[in-house]
Amino acid sequence: MFRTRVHRNLSWISTNSSRTTTTHGQHYQYLQCSKLPTLYFQRSLPRLPIPLLENSCRRFLEATKPLLSPAEQAQTQQTVEQFRQGIGMELHAKLKSHDAENKHTSYISQPWFDMYLADRAPLPLNYNPLLVMKSDARPEYQQQVVRATNLIISSLRFWRSLQADLLEPEVYHMNAKKSDTSSYRRWMKVAPKAFATYASYAFKAFPLDMSQYNRLFGTSRIPRIGKDELVQSPDAKHILVMRRGHMYAVNVLDSSGYIESPSVILGRLRAVLKLDADREAASVPLGVLTSGQRDEWAKTRQHFVSNTKNADLLEREVDAALFCVCLDGEEDGVFNENQQEPLLKHLLAGKAQNRWFDKSISLLISADGTTAINFEHSWGDGVAVLRYFNELYKDTLKQPFVSTETVHTPAEGDFSNVRPINFEIDDATKSAVSEAYNKNASIVDNLDMNVLKYPHINKPTCKQYGLSPDSIIQLSFQLAYRQAYSGYVGSYESCSTSAFRHGRTETMRPCTNATRDFCEAILQPERSKPSAGELRAMIDNCSKVHGQLTKEAAMGQGFDRHLFALRHTAQKEGIPIPDLYETEAYKRINNNIISTSTLGSDALLAGSFGPVVKNGFGIGYSIQNDFAGAIVTTYKNQADGKVFIDSLESAFDKICAVIQQSSSSKK
């Protein structure tokens, strides 16, 4: 019924190229019209706490124990104690003093921005992550240019809602049925703004920081020698569309800032395809430059913009674009459920000819309509991107504005609204593009990707047996590595601290004494192996420790960011780096061989990122209603992803057997 009604309305809108009141209406222009202003809770968010120095030292020692020999532990303990009683106290006092003078932000915010922007490593694989969206099962909405149009419209509806303060505030509801209600919003509306966050806590609803949201659109990372910068053009009216390496500026907002009608946006995208069909693929695909080492790209850009025409086009049409849409061709691959790796690898990094990795957000749309987001990471974290990703998916499913039946408004020849970006390219730039292409191709060719879908562990199974899904997955990673490589290594799980003003992330260290004890126990010969009941008790202890560490991290009580900020303070003050940072323990725990990240979302088909160290494993994972999944990236001849995946499947089997046996023995 709903879909029929939408089609009737859309056929009317799309056959009328002139401006109508329908497209100016709130229903079309805004994704949400929240009763609470978007930034309602921002002022009252608590500040990110700086942990006590003794607590950070204690947590560091505890986290490094599984990685060290007894002799190394003793040496580390001595060095940490000297740090705690000496230079650590001085640095901690300076950090506290600086934090007290900057109450508008958090102690980690600026150092974290600096860390990202100063790193000279290429963005693809090292920083830019990938989120792949589930497809639309309805063929009339999955076709590439149709899906692109609907995604663009939904993106703009999200953006306009955010700008107008009409996007729902980001709130984590412990029990959505009780708190994500109109009654909750009425109570919040009358709560004094200065205390609104604390009033929300009474409903077990936790407002999250939204300071990163304004950089979702119109933001670009500009390469500079030594340290990049972020530039923003929030009033732009166009997007950047890429096709076979060619670049087009496409207006999607009118002169008053209203979203153009669906038929107009569809017509402009089709005009891009028509223009592109009449050309050869770009012989010098400039987007490849954004895949390069940052100082090399900065030098190339400096030369490139010495041409005033290039400088104007790059700044006005590319850097200022609201976001980037990359329309890939058949030659770039389509999604295959039974062989996902080629397309996922292409979307994560690929040949870089049809990408502009410096944009805050890029929508990648394959020839079959498979859609992914590849985002530049310095400006923000998963919370803001995942909110956008989820809203985009829901909106395009619930009310797509065009279909394959929509009559578009022709835009061929309308070069004021569909502008091919034609730069003047000299031999130096051609050479730089060729060099960047070869370097990126070498890195990407060296990347391996392995996928595992394990059906016997899933959300219902975990609920049935009273297990923490995340803890079970992380324990499986530790067991998989121990089985395959006979040891324990630095392991990383990202945890958001967005419950605090300008919070970013904290590291949760999933390799613990509890996980080590379980791994050693379950790998004992049968005659000396503990019983299923005893092993299940150890699993429960792993979950308890994991849960406590996760809670501490989310509450800003981890140790990684605190120690990072103390070292940053020493560098800023010209103080020699303390011995703690030269210990084997510090080096080993920060050599993140196992780097993991999960995003819980019903919209997510897959998520991936590159290894953070050359001999490491980049593990994007999720636990769904019917399986647990992991996508593991490695570099060839550095680490073997296939060996790890096979060991992970074996680890899942072992843990499942323990759970089932222990449950059977209780009956």
Side-chain angles (χ1 to χ4, degrees):
M1 177 67 185
F2 175 76
R3 198 187 305 173
T4 306
R5 187 166 65 249
V6 168
H7 270 307
R8 284 199 195 114
N9 290 341
L10 292 184
S11 64
W12 182 78
I13 293 172
S14 59
T15 53
N16 285 269
S17 57
S18 60
R19 173 64 59 202
T20 68
T21 55
T22 304
T23 55
H24 274 183
Q26 278 195 341
H27 173 73
Y28 179 64
Q29 292 294 324
Y30 300 112
L31 183 77
Q32 294 169 353
C33 292
S34 173
K35 288 184 169 59
L36 293 175
T38 304
L39 300 179
Y40 188 73
F41 296 103
Q42 196 67 24
R43 178 183 160 196
S44 62
L45 283 173
R47 300 197 65 219
L48 182 68
I50 298 176
L52 295 174
L53 180 61
E54 53 265 38
N55 286 349
S56 289
C57 290
R58 173 179 53 78
R59 288 170 179 140
F60 170 72
L61 286 170
E62 192 68 15
T64 54
K65 272 183 187 176
L67 312 181
L68 304 174
S69 68
E72 288 170 329
Q73 283 180 39
Q75 180 60 50
T76 303
Q77 181 121 17
Q78 186 178 343
T79 306
V80 169
E81 193 59 25
Q82 289 170 350
F83 175 80
R84 186 183 70 80
Q85 295 184 25
I87 188 62
M89 291 178 67
E90 181 185 341
L91 294 174
H92 183 74
K94 288 180 182 294
L95 180 63
K96 293 276 285 184
S97 175
H98 184 264
D99 185 55
E101 293 168 2
N102 292 274
K103 292 184 177 178
H104 65 287
T105 186
S106 70
Y107 77 90
I108 198 62
S109 182
Q110 193 57 50
W112 210 240
F113 271 118
D114 292 344
M115 180 272 294
Y116 271 117
L117 295 173
D119 197 331
R120 304 291 80 198
L123 298 187
L125 297 184
N126 294 295
Y127 283 112
N128 284 30
L130 173 73
L131 304 179
V132 185
M133 192 178 287
K134 287 180 179 174
S135 293
D136 195 321
R138 303 164 296 179
E140 66 270 30
Y141 300 116
Q142 181 66 13
Q143 192 264 345
Q144 186 187 41
V145 73
V146 168
R147 195 162 201 214
T149 302
N150 284 319
L151 288 162
I152 290 165
I153 293 169
S154 293
S155 296
L156 297 171
R157 281 157 51 76
F158 183 98
W159 176 231
R160 293 213 68 217
S161 301
L162 181 63
Q163 284 189 309
D165 223 12
L166 293 172
L167 193 74
E168 285 277 353
E170 184 69 14
V171 178
Y172 175 70
H173 296 274
M174 290 286 284
N175 187 338
K177 288 181 180 177
K178 290 187 176 179
S179 60
D180 194 3
T181 62
S182 55
S183 173
Y184 162 78
R185 288 170 179 79
R186 281 197 301 273
W187 278 105
M188 291 303 100
K189 191 77 173 169
V190 299
K193 239 183 173 182
F195 306 102
T197 294
Y198 297 92
S200 184
Y201 291 166
F203 290 81
K204 288 190 165 43
F206 299 87
L208 303 180
D209 178 74
M210 297 188 74
S211 61
Q212 297 174 6
Y213 279 60
N214 72 331
R215 284 195 167 107
L216 266 168
F217 299 102
T219 302
S220 283
R221 177 169 171 166
I222 308 300
R224 305 289 188 214
I225 302 294
K227 182 182 173 185
D228 295 350
E229 68 171 312
L230 293 174
V231 299
Q232 194 168 10
S233 308
D235 298 322
K237 304 288 191 290
H238 71 282
I239 61 173
L240 173 66
V241 178
M242 301 188 71
R243 175 76 171 176
R244 297 193 306 157
H246 294 298
M247 304 165 78
Y248 303 85
V250 178
N251 284 356
V252 288
L253 301 175
D254 68 14
S255 57
S256 300
Y258 288 106
I259 304 169
E260 295 280 13
S261 71
S263 68
V264 165
I265 294 175
L266 177 62
R268 288 176 186 171
L269 283 191
R270 285 190 169 148
V272 166
L273 296 183
K274 178 72 169 61
L275 274 170
D276 200 70
D278 295 336
R279 312 164 78 184
E280 295 293 324
S283 57
V284 186
L286 286 173
V288 169
L289 294 170
T290 65
S291 73
Q293 195 266 1
R294 299 306 291 178
D295 278 347
E296 290 175 6
W297 169 208
K299 290 171 188 171
T300 301
R301 180 174 168 125
Q302 278 182 350
H303 167 77
F304 187 70
V305 298
S306 63
N307 177 312
T308 54
K309 178 188 175 184
N310 289 344
D312 177 59
L313 284 174
L314 194 57
E315 291 170 18
R316 178 165 45 87
E317 304 287 44
V318 179
D319 298 339
L322 288 170
F323 53 93
C324 180
V325 175
C326 303
L327 299 174
D328 286 349
E330 292 278 356
E331 66 279 5
D332 298 313
V334 295
F335 185 74
N336 181 340
E337 177 66 36
N338 298 317
Q339 195 179 6
Q340 301 178 25
E341 293 89 341
L343 181 63
L344 293 178
K345 190 174 171 181
H346 167 73
L347 294 171
L348 178 60
K351 297 175 182 176
Q353 293 165 302
N354 203 45
R355 301 286 183 268
W356 197 264
F357 289 112
D358 290 357
K359 288 305 293 180
S360 53
I361 290 286
S362 290
L363 286 171
L364 318 180
I365 306 168
S366 300
D368 63 347
T370 298
T371 296
I373 288 177
N374 188 304
F375 69 97
E376 197 280 310
H377 213 327
S378 67
W379 64 269
D381 304 305
V383 172
V385 176
L386 192 62
R387 169 76 183 275
Y388 163 65
F389 183 84
N390 287 337
E391 297 285 9
L392 211 57
Y393 179 70
K394 282 191 293 186
D395 197 44
T396 53
L397 278 193
K398 181 182 171 185
Q399 52 176 40
F401 286 92
V402 300
S403 76
T404 50
E405 301 299 313
T406 303
V407 178
H408 69 270
T409 301
E412 286 82 357
D414 182 5
F415 295 120
S416 62
N417 288 306
V418 181
R419 302 182 292 279
I421 306 173
N422 296 317
F423 295 103
E424 293 178 355
I425 298 171
D426 62 12
D427 288 341
T429 300
K430 284 180 185 176
S431 176
V433 169
S434 178
E435 186 177 342
Y437 176 84
N438 289 332
K439 285 182 178 178
N440 180 69
S442 175
I443 294 169
V444 174
D445 287 347
N446 203 32
L447 182 77
D448 256 347
M449 185 177 278
N450 288 272
V451 178
L452 175 66
K453 289 177 73 172
Y454 188 82
H456 307 302
I457 291 180
N458 50 52
K459 282 183 181 176
T461 303
C462 289
K463 188 174 182 180
Q464 178 188 346
Y465 291 111
L467 300 165
S468 157
D470 194 64
S471 172
I472 288 294
I473 301 290
Q474 289 289 348
L475 177 58
S476 301
F477 295 153
Q478 294 302 316
L479 180 54
Y481 191 89
R482 169 64 181 84
Q483 284 183 150
Y485 302 104
S486 303
Y488 303 95
V489 290
S491 303
Y492 180 106
E493 179 179 0
S494 182
C495 183
S496 173
T497 53
S498 59
F500 300 95
R501 193 184 316 155
H502 291 199
R504 294 282 315 225
T505 59
E506 179 58 88
T507 305
M508 209 294 284
R509 296 291 179 180
C511 180
T512 65
N513 294 323
T515 61
R516 180 191 59 189
D517 292 347
F518 171 80
C519 292
E520 293 304 318
I522 200 169
L523 293 176
Q524 291 292 317
E526 284 302 324
R527 64 181 181 278
S528 52
K529 187 184 294 186
S531 68
E534 290 169 322
L535 288 170
R536 172 61 202 258
M538 296 178 84
I539 290 175
D540 289 341
N541 187 46
C542 290
S543 290
K544 180 182 173 184
V545 172
H546 185 90
Q548 179 62 26
L549 291 175
T550 302
K551 182 179 177 182
E552 288 174 0
M555 295 305 292
Q557 294 296 327
F559 68 85
D560 279 83
R561 298 299 178 265
H562 187 197
L563 293 184
F564 172 89
L566 293 177
R567 184 173 64 174
H568 182 270
T569 301
Q571 292 168 329
K572 187 175 68 173
E573 298 281 341
I575 297 171
I577 301 300
D579 291 344
L580 166 67
Y581 299 96
E582 300 301 326
T583 61
E584 189 63 30
Y586 192 82
K587 291 174 183 175
R588 211 172 284 175
I589 200 166
N590 284 289
N591 184 38
N592 293 304
I593 301 289
I594 299 174
S595 182
T596 73
S597 184
T598 183
L599 291 171
S601 168
D602 291 336
L604 192 70
L605 180 67
S608 185
F609 58 95
V612 298
V613 294
K614 291 298 179 190
N615 60 335
F617 303 85
I619 309 175
Y621 69 98
S622 66
I623 187 152
Q624 308 277 357
N625 287 327
D626 47 358
F627 67 91
I631 299 172
V632 179
T633 57
T634 52
Y635 290 113
K636 295 171 186 173
N637 304 319
Q638 297 281 348
D640 195 324
K642 180 67 167 63
V643 167
F644 184 85
I645 278 284
D646 289 344
S647 185
L648 179 58
E649 188 168 21
S650 166
F652 281 145
D653 286 340
K654 285 184 172 68
I655 290 172
C656 274
V658 168
I659 293 164
Q660 289 164 358
Q661 288 167 20
S662 61
S663 297
S664 298
S665 63
K666 287 180 182 178
K667 292 179 181 177

